């Protein structure tokens, strides 16, 4: 318990993180989090791998190991770890998010977009982050983002808000107006935020609409 506590309370960026990791490993050598701390502090593949060995069914250590392998240019091994994380936690947004980001970094957008959708569908808090990734990756292509968003009420409402927050008043209003009156009424917070935000940005016509 003490070793686990030391590992959880120590930030990997702390100058003494490596020393704390050694202490934690001495106290709890079979706890994966202590090896994760040492791997992060020392950029040590062996310690990341040890965390996976100690907890092979924990998707989180697979993602961490995958990132470390990718940084070491071991791309095939990295992808295998990201995909194993998804296999272990298919309903968790974080596993799909990790794989999606890996695929985007490898310039494989079609596969990445599918994983981003799964992440956003699993946890709506990932929706805006997914929009931001797609928006920047495709050089702020409105059509590609709208295609990615899909036709669900929740997605279209969030997309309208996304555009409004970036001063894209016409795109915000156009997407908002794809919703019916009942669907708009289900999203009063987004409606008020958009109207107020567009007014402050001096998009008075769209704000009034």
């Amino acid at each position: 318990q003490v070793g686990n506590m030391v590992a959880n309370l120590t930030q990997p960026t702390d100058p003494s993180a490596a020393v704390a990791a050694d202490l934690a490993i001495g106290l709890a050598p079979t706890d994966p989090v202590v090896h994760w701390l040492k791997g992060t502090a020392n950029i040590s593949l062996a310690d990341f791998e040890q965390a996976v060995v100690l907890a092979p069914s924990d998707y989180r250590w697979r993602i961490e190991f995958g990132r470390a392998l990718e940084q070491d240019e071991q791309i095939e091994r990295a992808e295998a770890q990201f995909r194993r994380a998804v296999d272990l936690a298919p309903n968790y947004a974080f596993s799909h998010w990790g794989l999606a980001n890996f695929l985007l970094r490898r310039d494989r957008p079609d596969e990445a977009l599918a994983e981003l959708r799964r992440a956003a569908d699993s946890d709506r808090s990932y929706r805006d982050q997914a929009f931001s990734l797609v928006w920047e990756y495709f050089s702020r292509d409105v059509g590609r983002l709208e295609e990615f968003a899909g036709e669900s009420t929740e997605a279209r409402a969030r997309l309208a808000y996304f555009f409004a927050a970036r001063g894209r008043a016409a795109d915000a209003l156009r997407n908002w107006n794809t919703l019916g009156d009942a669907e708009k009424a289900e999203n009063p917070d987004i409606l008020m935020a958009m109207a107020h935000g567009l007014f402050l940005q001096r998009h008075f016509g769209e704000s009034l609409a």
Side-chain angles (χ1 to χ4, degrees), residues 80-153:
Q81 292 301 321
F82 284 115
R83 292 196 179 280
R84 182 57 180 152
V86 169
D87 290 341
L88 290 168
N91 297 319
Y92 281 33
F94 187 61
S95 59
H96 293 287
W97 185 258
L99 177 57
N101 277 269
F102 168 80
L103 292 169
L104 280 180
R105 291 192 293 270
R106 308 319 302 172
D107 290 323
R108 293 158 62 181
D110 291 340
E111 296 171 84
L113 292 181
E115 295 300 326
L116 285 176
R117 286 192 189 94
R118 293 185 182 104
D121 290 342
S122 296
D123 185 341
R124 291 180 179 179
S125 66
Y126 281 82
R127 181 83 67 191
D128 290 345
Q129 296 179 66
F131 286 166
S132 293
L133 269 180
V134 174
W135 181 242
E136 295 301 332
Y137 185 86
F138 289 107
S139 302
R140 303 186 178 186
D141 185 321
V142 172
R144 289 302 297 262
L145 182 54
E146 290 178 341
E147 180 184 355
F148 169 77
E151 301 298 330
S152 74
T153 297

Side-chain angles (χ1 to χ4, degrees), residues 169 195-207:
H196 183 62
L198 291 173
F199 180 84
L200 292 178
Q201 296 174 58
R202 305 182 68 80
H203 297 293
F204 299 122
E206 289 86 351
S207 174

Side-chain angles (χ1 to χ4, degrees), residues 153-172:
T153 297
E154 188 268 340
R156 279 290 162 173
R158 295 303 307 178
L159 183 60
Y161 178 83
F162 178 90
F163 282 131
R166 285 155 181 78
R168 309 277 302 205
D171 293 323

Side-chain angles (χ1 to χ4, degrees), residues 47 50 52 60 75 117 127 146 151 168-169 173 181:
D47 284 293
Q50 184 63 14
V52 169
R60 297 171 300 171
I75 304 305
R117 286 192 189 94
R127 181 83 67 191
E146 290 178 341
E151 301 298 330
R168 309 277 302 205
L173 185 58
D181 290 342

